[in-house]
Amino acid sequence: MDEKLLEVKNLTFSFHTYGGVVKAVRDVSFDLKQGEVLGIVGESGCGKSVTSQCILKLNPEPPGFFEGGEILYKGQDIVKMSEKEMRAIRGKEIGFIFQDPMTSLNPTMKVGKQIEEIFVGRKDMTAAQKKEKALEILKLVGISDGEKRYNQYPHELSGGMKQRVMIAIALVGKPSIVIADEPTTSLDVTIEAQILDVLKNLQKEMNTSVIMITHDLGVIAKMCDRVVVMYGGKIVERGTVDEIFYHTKHPYTKGLLHSIARLDTDKNQRLEPIEGTPPDLFAPPKGCPFAARCEYAMEICSKLPPEIYHISEQHETECWLHHEFAPETDLNRKEA
Ligand code: SF4
């Protein structure tokens, strides 16, 4: 699983607005390896969706624009690609599952025909073979009454079923990477669990690399191998799922973990939301973006941006607490 399929290097993406330039993504770097599921987690407005949409150049330009950085896919820089080159990549090389399936399913076309679009240009397949394959795909994502669903329009399906169809369309064309942007946010918990199972099973079966965008650490725990935590347009911590959950090093990640219920959460224990609001990205703070909300903040934090501290081979964080002269806290105590 060591081959890097995608490398995002120092990506900075901004938007021109009437109020000025919004720096939505600032100096973000990460990579994605063959067959892994990478989670990008953070509150809304932290830059996670803009980052993921940069990979397929889906942010409107203008008003959006790349200020710097590279997105290397199989060694080629996506930032420099033309719209024509991107059309050859979208859906075929890199698939996208949106939060709301109605934004990407065609409401005027029957579900079966939309799945069959995967096989457009396949001269070796007859119409009957395409239909047979579409029915197989519906079965693969857990839709049992395939023949009936094949002939229905998207609005005739439930939210969960539409999302299954989206997953089928995104994965069955065998792209190298699938980006799933909050794919289960609009669904109830039971359906969410089923959809995540479908996605995980297909991902494993096809050895697809997945970037999972979510605000929900529960989804990260269930799906991902590694996690990138974003705040204020920047990455503040990254590591394996175990490192992020059990050896948390950044106050924001700690805050996120305390704001969700876990299986071992006592029912009388109060969940603690993170007080305050994210920074203004028109004028990002010159120091640490989390300083105004951080219970550990020190004088240096609002003056200088923190450096990157390497905790282990995979685990890194941008927080002054890990400077050798910082006072000891639960987040920087040396582990035995
Ligand atoms: Fe908190 Fe300072 Fe660390 Fe930022 S750098 S998260 S303000 S302790």
PDB file of all heavy atoms in Angstrom, residues 250-252 288-292 294-298 301 306 318-321, ligand 1:
ATOM      1  N   HIS A 250      -3.286  17.430  19.167  1.00  0.00           N
ATOM      2  CA  HIS A 250      -3.680  18.813  18.897  1.00  0.00           C
ATOM      3  C   HIS A 250      -4.962  19.162  19.667  1.00  0.00           C
ATOM      4  O   HIS A 250      -5.912  18.375  19.669  1.00  0.00           O
ATOM      5  CB  HIS A 250      -3.903  19.012  17.390  1.00  0.00           C
ATOM      6  CG  HIS A 250      -3.940  20.453  17.003  1.00  0.00           C
ATOM      7  ND1 HIS A 250      -5.044  21.249  17.197  1.00  0.00           N
ATOM      8  CD2 HIS A 250      -2.990  21.268  16.463  1.00  0.00           C
ATOM      9  CE1 HIS A 250      -4.782  22.479  16.772  1.00  0.00           C
ATOM     10  NE2 HIS A 250      -3.537  22.510  16.320  1.00  0.00           N
ATOM     11  N   PRO A 251      -4.993  20.345  20.305  1.00  0.00           N
ATOM     12  CA  PRO A 251      -6.181  20.721  21.080  1.00  0.00           C
ATOM     13  C   PRO A 251      -7.473  20.706  20.258  1.00  0.00           C
ATOM     14  O   PRO A 251      -8.541  20.374  20.783  1.00  0.00           O
ATOM     15  CB  PRO A 251      -5.862  22.143  21.550  1.00  0.00           C
ATOM     16  CG  PRO A 251      -4.379  22.186  21.610  1.00  0.00           C
ATOM     17  CD  PRO A 251      -3.907  21.328  20.463  1.00  0.00           C
ATOM     18  N   TYR A 252      -7.407  21.051  18.965  1.00  0.00           N
ATOM     19  CA  TYR A 252      -8.638  21.037  18.162  1.00  0.00           C
ATOM     20  C   TYR A 252      -9.145  19.606  17.970  1.00  0.00           C
ATOM     21  O   TYR A 252     -10.343  19.345  18.087  1.00  0.00           O
ATOM     22  CB  TYR A 252      -8.395  21.707  16.799  1.00  0.00           C
ATOM     23  CG  TYR A 252      -9.608  21.622  15.903  1.00  0.00           C
ATOM     24  CD1 TYR A 252     -10.794  22.238  16.249  1.00  0.00           C
ATOM     25  CD2 TYR A 252      -9.568  20.876  14.723  1.00  0.00           C
ATOM     26  CE1 TYR A 252     -11.923  22.134  15.457  1.00  0.00           C
ATOM     27  CE2 TYR A 252     -10.690  20.777  13.916  1.00  0.00           C
ATOM     28  CZ  TYR A 252     -11.863  21.400  14.284  1.00  0.00           C
ATOM     29  OH  TYR A 252     -12.976  21.287  13.494  1.00  0.00           O
ATOM     30  N   CYS A 288      -1.475  30.876  15.314  1.00  0.00           N
ATOM     31  CA  CYS A 288      -2.212  29.611  15.156  1.00  0.00           C
ATOM     32  C   CYS A 288      -3.690  29.906  14.880  1.00  0.00           C
ATOM     33  O   CYS A 288      -4.301  30.718  15.589  1.00  0.00           O
ATOM     34  CB  CYS A 288      -2.076  28.801  16.444  1.00  0.00           C
ATOM     35  SG  CYS A 288      -3.216  27.406  16.494  1.00  0.00           S
ATOM     36  N   PRO A 289      -4.302  29.278  13.889  1.00  0.00           N
ATOM     37  CA  PRO A 289      -5.704  29.601  13.572  1.00  0.00           C
ATOM     38  C   PRO A 289      -6.675  29.242  14.703  1.00  0.00           C
ATOM     39  O   PRO A 289      -7.776  29.769  14.770  1.00  0.00           O
ATOM     40  CB  PRO A 289      -5.989  28.751  12.315  1.00  0.00           C
ATOM     41  CG  PRO A 289      -4.933  27.710  12.269  1.00  0.00           C
ATOM     42  CD  PRO A 289      -3.737  28.276  12.971  1.00  0.00           C
ATOM     43  N   PHE A 290      -6.248  28.345  15.609  1.00  0.00           N
ATOM     44  CA  PHE A 290      -7.153  27.891  16.669  1.00  0.00           C
ATOM     45  C   PHE A 290      -6.986  28.699  17.963  1.00  0.00           C
ATOM     46  O   PHE A 290      -7.714  28.494  18.936  1.00  0.00           O
ATOM     47  CB  PHE A 290      -6.878  26.398  16.946  1.00  0.00           C
ATOM     48  CG  PHE A 290      -7.921  25.714  17.786  1.00  0.00           C
ATOM     49  CD1 PHE A 290      -9.269  25.774  17.464  1.00  0.00           C
ATOM     50  CD2 PHE A 290      -7.557  24.992  18.917  1.00  0.00           C
ATOM     51  CE1 PHE A 290     -10.238  25.141  18.238  1.00  0.00           C
ATOM     52  CE2 PHE A 290      -8.507  24.343  19.697  1.00  0.00           C
ATOM     53  CZ  PHE A 290      -9.849  24.422  19.361  1.00  0.00           C
ATOM     54  N   ALA A 291      -6.043  29.650  17.962  1.00  0.00           N
ATOM     55  CA  ALA A 291      -5.665  30.336  19.209  1.00  0.00           C
ATOM     56  C   ALA A 291      -6.859  30.925  19.970  1.00  0.00           C
ATOM     57  O   ALA A 291      -6.936  30.795  21.191  1.00  0.00           O
ATOM     58  CB  ALA A 291      -4.631  31.413  18.905  1.00  0.00           C
ATOM     59  N   ALA A 292      -7.808  31.537  19.246  1.00  0.00           N
ATOM     60  CA  ALA A 292      -8.918  32.212  19.933  1.00  0.00           C
ATOM     61  C   ALA A 292      -9.825  31.234  20.677  1.00  0.00           C
ATOM     62  O   ALA A 292     -10.578  31.646  21.569  1.00  0.00           O
ATOM     63  CB  ALA A 292      -9.721  33.008  18.914  1.00  0.00           C
ATOM     64  N   CYS A 294      -8.628  28.108  21.907  1.00  0.00           N
ATOM     65  CA  CYS A 294      -7.835  27.017  22.473  1.00  0.00           C
ATOM     66  C   CYS A 294      -7.624  27.181  23.979  1.00  0.00           C
ATOM     67  O   CYS A 294      -7.138  28.225  24.429  1.00  0.00           O
ATOM     68  CB  CYS A 294      -6.483  26.978  21.763  1.00  0.00           C
ATOM     69  SG  CYS A 294      -5.413  25.686  22.395  1.00  0.00           S
ATOM     70  N   GLU A 295      -7.971  26.152  24.730  1.00  0.00           N
ATOM     71  CA  GLU A 295      -7.804  26.226  26.192  1.00  0.00           C
ATOM     72  C   GLU A 295      -6.324  26.160  26.596  1.00  0.00           C
ATOM     73  O   GLU A 295      -5.975  26.434  27.738  1.00  0.00           O
ATOM     74  CB  GLU A 295      -8.589  25.097  26.883  1.00  0.00           C
ATOM     75  CG  GLU A 295      -8.159  23.724  26.437  1.00  0.00           C
ATOM     76  CD  GLU A 295      -8.870  22.578  27.148  1.00  0.00           C
ATOM     77  OE1 GLU A 295      -8.811  22.513  28.385  1.00  0.00           O
ATOM     78  OE2 GLU A 295      -9.454  21.736  26.432  1.00  0.00           O
ATOM     79  N   TYR A 296      -5.440  25.764  25.674  1.00  0.00           N
ATOM     80  CA  TYR A 296      -4.013  25.640  25.988  1.00  0.00           C
ATOM     81  C   TYR A 296      -3.201  26.830  25.487  1.00  0.00           C
ATOM     82  O   TYR A 296      -1.988  26.838  25.610  1.00  0.00           O
ATOM     83  CB  TYR A 296      -3.431  24.386  25.320  1.00  0.00           C
ATOM     84  CG  TYR A 296      -4.053  23.080  25.742  1.00  0.00           C
ATOM     85  CD1 TYR A 296      -5.212  22.609  25.145  1.00  0.00           C
ATOM     86  CD2 TYR A 296      -3.454  22.299  26.727  1.00  0.00           C
ATOM     87  CE1 TYR A 296      -5.779  21.413  25.513  1.00  0.00           C
ATOM     88  CE2 TYR A 296      -4.013  21.082  27.112  1.00  0.00           C
ATOM     89  CZ  TYR A 296      -5.174  20.648  26.500  1.00  0.00           C
ATOM     90  OH  TYR A 296      -5.727  19.451  26.872  1.00  0.00           O
ATOM     91  N   ALA A 297      -3.876  27.813  24.855  1.00  0.00           N
ATOM     92  CA  ALA A 297      -3.133  28.881  24.148  1.00  0.00           C
ATOM     93  C   ALA A 297      -2.090  29.572  25.035  1.00  0.00           C
ATOM     94  O   ALA A 297      -2.340  29.853  26.209  1.00  0.00           O
ATOM     95  CB  ALA A 297      -4.110  29.903  23.586  1.00  0.00           C
ATOM     96  N   MET A 298      -0.934  29.823  24.442  1.00  0.00           N
ATOM     97  CA  MET A 298       0.150  30.535  25.130  1.00  0.00           C
ATOM     98  C   MET A 298       0.383  31.841  24.369  1.00  0.00           C
ATOM     99  O   MET A 298      -0.203  32.055  23.306  1.00  0.00           O
ATOM    100  CB  MET A 298       1.434  29.677  25.097  1.00  0.00           C
ATOM    101  CG  MET A 298       1.255  28.324  25.748  1.00  0.00           C
ATOM    102  SD  MET A 298       2.625  27.210  25.402  1.00  0.00           S
ATOM    103  CE  MET A 298       2.217  26.602  23.776  1.00  0.00           C
ATOM    104  N   CYS A 301       1.265  31.720  20.665  1.00  0.00           N
ATOM    105  CA  CYS A 301       0.281  31.140  19.729  1.00  0.00           C
ATOM    106  C   CYS A 301      -0.388  32.176  18.828  1.00  0.00           C
ATOM    107  O   CYS A 301      -0.667  31.894  17.670  1.00  0.00           O
ATOM    108  CB  CYS A 301      -0.780  30.367  20.490  1.00  0.00           C
ATOM    109  SG  CYS A 301      -0.087  29.028  21.465  1.00  0.00           S
ATOM    110  N   PRO A 306       2.421  28.030  14.346  1.00  0.00           N
ATOM    111  CA  PRO A 306       3.215  26.928  14.892  1.00  0.00           C
ATOM    112  C   PRO A 306       3.963  26.167  13.807  1.00  0.00           C
ATOM    113  O   PRO A 306       3.537  26.135  12.642  1.00  0.00           O
ATOM    114  CB  PRO A 306       2.173  26.025  15.561  1.00  0.00           C
ATOM    115  CG  PRO A 306       0.862  26.443  15.015  1.00  0.00           C
ATOM    116  CD  PRO A 306       0.973  27.840  14.531  1.00  0.00           C
ATOM    117  N   GLU A 318       0.627  20.579  14.038  1.00  0.00           N
ATOM    118  CA  GLU A 318       1.116  21.963  14.034  1.00  0.00           C
ATOM    119  C   GLU A 318       0.609  22.613  15.304  1.00  0.00           C
ATOM    120  O   GLU A 318      -0.522  23.116  15.336  1.00  0.00           O
ATOM    121  CB  GLU A 318       0.573  22.717  12.812  1.00  0.00           C
ATOM    122  CG  GLU A 318       1.313  22.380  11.544  1.00  0.00           C
ATOM    123  CD  GLU A 318       1.008  23.345  10.396  1.00  0.00           C
ATOM    124  OE1 GLU A 318       0.721  24.536  10.629  1.00  0.00           O
ATOM    125  OE2 GLU A 318       1.061  22.884   9.259  1.00  0.00           O
ATOM    126  N   CYS A 319       1.379  22.555  16.362  1.00  0.00           N
ATOM    127  CA  CYS A 319       0.947  23.121  17.641  1.00  0.00           C
ATOM    128  C   CYS A 319       2.178  23.416  18.496  1.00  0.00           C
ATOM    129  O   CYS A 319       3.048  22.559  18.651  1.00  0.00           O
ATOM    130  CB  CYS A 319       0.019  22.122  18.336  1.00  0.00           C
ATOM    131  SG  CYS A 319      -0.374  22.595  20.012  1.00  0.00           S
ATOM    132  N   TRP A 320       2.210  24.633  19.053  1.00  0.00           N
ATOM    133  CA  TRP A 320       3.357  25.048  19.851  1.00  0.00           C
ATOM    134  C   TRP A 320       3.571  24.189  21.091  1.00  0.00           C
ATOM    135  O   TRP A 320       4.640  24.204  21.692  1.00  0.00           O
ATOM    136  CB  TRP A 320       3.212  26.520  20.275  1.00  0.00           C
ATOM    137  CG  TRP A 320       3.543  27.493  19.192  1.00  0.00           C
ATOM    138  CD1 TRP A 320       2.706  28.401  18.617  1.00  0.00           C
ATOM    139  CD2 TRP A 320       4.818  27.689  18.560  1.00  0.00           C
ATOM    140  NE1 TRP A 320       3.365  29.130  17.660  1.00  0.00           N
ATOM    141  CE2 TRP A 320       4.672  28.713  17.612  1.00  0.00           C
ATOM    142  CE3 TRP A 320       6.069  27.083  18.698  1.00  0.00           C
ATOM    143  CZ2 TRP A 320       5.717  29.148  16.808  1.00  0.00           C
ATOM    144  CZ3 TRP A 320       7.115  27.523  17.901  1.00  0.00           C
ATOM    145  CH2 TRP A 320       6.931  28.538  16.972  1.00  0.00           C
ATOM    146  N   LEU A 321       2.533  23.459  21.508  1.00  0.00           N
ATOM    147  CA  LEU A 321       2.679  22.624  22.715  1.00  0.00           C
ATOM    148  C   LEU A 321       3.803  21.602  22.561  1.00  0.00           C
ATOM    149  O   LEU A 321       4.291  21.068  23.550  1.00  0.00           O
ATOM    150  CB  LEU A 321       1.387  21.835  22.978  1.00  0.00           C
ATOM    151  CG  LEU A 321       0.211  22.576  23.606  1.00  0.00           C
ATOM    152  CD1 LEU A 321      -0.960  21.625  23.739  1.00  0.00           C
ATOM    153  CD2 LEU A 321       0.590  23.155  24.964  1.00  0.00           C
TER     154      LEU A 321
HETATM  155 FE1  SF4 B   1      -3.532  25.923  21.021  1.00  0.00          FE
HETATM  156 FE2  SF4 B   1      -1.248  27.220  20.719  1.00  0.00          FE
HETATM  157 FE3  SF4 B   1      -1.438  24.702  19.948  1.00  0.00          FE
HETATM  158 FE4  SF4 B   1      -2.670  26.609  18.613  1.00  0.00          FE
HETATM  159  S1  SF4 B   1      -0.474  26.362  18.813  1.00  0.00           S
HETATM  160  S2  SF4 B   1      -3.520  24.688  19.178  1.00  0.00           S
HETATM  161  S3  SF4 B   1      -3.308  27.981  20.247  1.00  0.00           S
HETATM  162  S4  SF4 B   1      -1.595  25.476  22.050  1.00  0.00           S
END
